[in-house]
């Protein structure tokens, strides 16, 4: 949990070095997404500290959905959310209504501009709500009421809010929205069917895309895995 955070800082640091080495190189930023639960990890602290001290252009985008996996925010932290953590690292920060599409776009745009101008990180906290279960093995009714979920669904659903905004400005209609939803549903189902018939990834890919040169420890693990599969070939398809 949270391992992507220091990786994003490393990417942003490389981007900064490339720009400093060649000012004709177009500056850009790295962006990394995580939930408020990941802010309790060591990787979050390490990433924020490295980003702030190295002054790298990375956006830490936190989707605070209120419950992480199953832990309510009142048990996750005692402070004022995630945004206040930025001050301790000397980092700029923005908090925004994560259920407002336009507000999220504006905040992210402003954060990106700041990161590029100052070559520094920015922490964004997007206050939202997870209406569904965390996963197929999760039963969220064990830690929150159905009434709470329905209240958010009826009053703060981001898709419904944006649809209402577009309709109020006569930029779309209920009929057009229904047609879009129907078309997208067909597209998703078609993509799912196509993906299900694709062959699985090759076993070798399990050990790739981590190191530029595979270390001896990983080479040993790969060798041991192949030996195990060969020894118990009748147990595997």
């Amino acid at each position: 949990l949270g391992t992507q955070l220091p990786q994003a800082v490393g990417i942003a640091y490389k981007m900064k070095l490339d720009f400093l080495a060649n000012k004709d190189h177009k500056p850009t930023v790295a962006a990394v997404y995580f939930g408020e639960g990941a802010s309790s990890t060591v990787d979050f602290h390490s990433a924020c500290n490295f980003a702030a001290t190295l002054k790298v252009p990375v956006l830490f985008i936190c989707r605070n959905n209120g419950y992480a996996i199953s832990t309510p925010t009142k048990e996750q932290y005692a402070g004022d959310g995630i945004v206040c953590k930025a001050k301790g690292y000397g980092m700029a920060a923005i908090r925004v209504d994560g259920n407002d599409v336009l507000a999220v776009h504006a905040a992210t745009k402003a954060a990106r501009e700041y990161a590029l101008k100052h070559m520094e990180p920015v922490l964004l906290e997007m206050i939202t709500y997870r209406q569904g279960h965390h996963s197929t093995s999760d039963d969220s009714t064990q830690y929150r009421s159905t009434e709470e979920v329905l209240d958010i669904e009826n009053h703060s659903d981001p898709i419904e809010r944006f649809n209402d905004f577009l309709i109020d400005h006569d930029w779309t209609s209920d009929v057009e929205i229904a047609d879009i939803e129907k078309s997208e549903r067909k597209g998703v189902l078609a993509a799912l069917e196509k993906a299900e018939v694709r062959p699985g990834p090759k076993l070798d890919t399990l050990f790739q895309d981590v190191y530029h040169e595979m270390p001896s420890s990983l080479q040993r693990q790969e060798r041991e895995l192949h030996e195990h599969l060969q020894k118990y070939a009748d147990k595997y398809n």
Side-chain angles (χ1 to χ4, degrees):
L1 182 64
T3 54
Q4 74 275 21
L5 295 165
Q7 293 172 357
V9 175
I11 292 171
Y13 189 41
K14 177 62 164 60
M15 291 175 173
K16 177 180 179 178
L17 294 178
D18 287 344
F19 174 68
L20 293 177
N22 182 5
K23 291 300 179 67
D24 292 331
H25 190 90
K26 184 178 180 181
T28 187
V29 304
V32 60
Y33 294 83
F34 60 101
E36 79 280 3
S39 71
S40 297
T41 65
V42 173
D43 279 331
F44 173 78
H45 164 70
S46 299
C48 288
N49 197 49
F50 271 118
T53 55
L54 294 174
K55 296 188 180 302
V56 297
V58 59
L59 305 183
F60 294 106
I61 303 177
C62 176
R63 298 169 294 195
N64 189 340
N65 66 30
Y67 286 97
I69 294 178
S70 60
T71 305
T73 53
K74 64 182 180 181
E75 297 177 16
Q76 190 73 245
Y77 48 74
D80 182 21
I82 307 303
V83 70
C84 66
K85 298 177 184 290
K87 189 173 183 179
Y89 297 104
M91 187 190 309
I94 303 175
R95 172 182 281 159
V96 64
D97 180 355
N99 289 339
D100 185 332
V101 176
L102 298 178
V104 168
H105 181 272
T108 306
K109 183 174 184 290
R112 183 180 185 277
E113 291 172 350
Y114 182 95
L116 283 176
K117 179 179 179 180
H118 300 279
M119 277 292 160
E120 294 180 6
V122 182
L123 172 64
L124 294 92
E125 181 181 18
M126 300 179 178
I127 304 297
T128 182
Y129 188 89
R130 171 166 55 78
Q131 295 183 34
H133 305 296
H134 176 73
S135 65
T136 55
S137 62
D138 178 39
D139 179 8
S140 63
T141 61
Q142 298 298 310
Y143 50 85
R144 62 182 182 181
S145 68
T146 303
E147 291 74 20
E148 177 183 305
V149 179
L150 290 175
D151 182 64
I152 294 293
E153 182 180 330
N154 293 329
H155 297 98
S156 194
D157 184 283
I159 296 177
E160 294 300 326
R161 286 175 60 179
F162 191 57
N163 287 346
D164 290 341
F165 173 81
L166 296 176
I167 291 173
D168 288 344
H169 287 77
D170 295 323
W171 291 335
T172 190
S173 66
D174 288 328
V175 174
E176 287 180 320
I177 291 173
D179 289 341
I180 292 173
E181 291 177 347
K182 184 178 180 180
S183 174
E184 291 301 314
R185 180 178 293 274
K186 287 183 178 179
V188 169
L189 292 175
L192 182 60
E193 292 176 356
K194 183 178 180 180
E196 287 180 333
V197 299
R198 292 182 60 185
K202 294 182 179 180
L203 187 62
D204 293 344
T205 61
L206 182 64
F207 301 91
Q208 299 171 355
D209 299 327
V210 177
Y211 297 97
H212 179 64
E213 294 183 4
M214 191 185 301
S216 58
S217 59
L218 205 55
Q219 292 176 14
R220 184 184 70 254
Q221 292 178 37
E222 183 180 22
R223 184 172 62 255
E224 290 174 349
L225 177 59
H226 283 290
E227 291 172 352
H228 172 83
L229 294 175
Q230 185 177 8
K231 183 177 181 179
Y232 299 101
D234 59 315
K235 304 297 183 182
Y236 298 92
N237 294 327

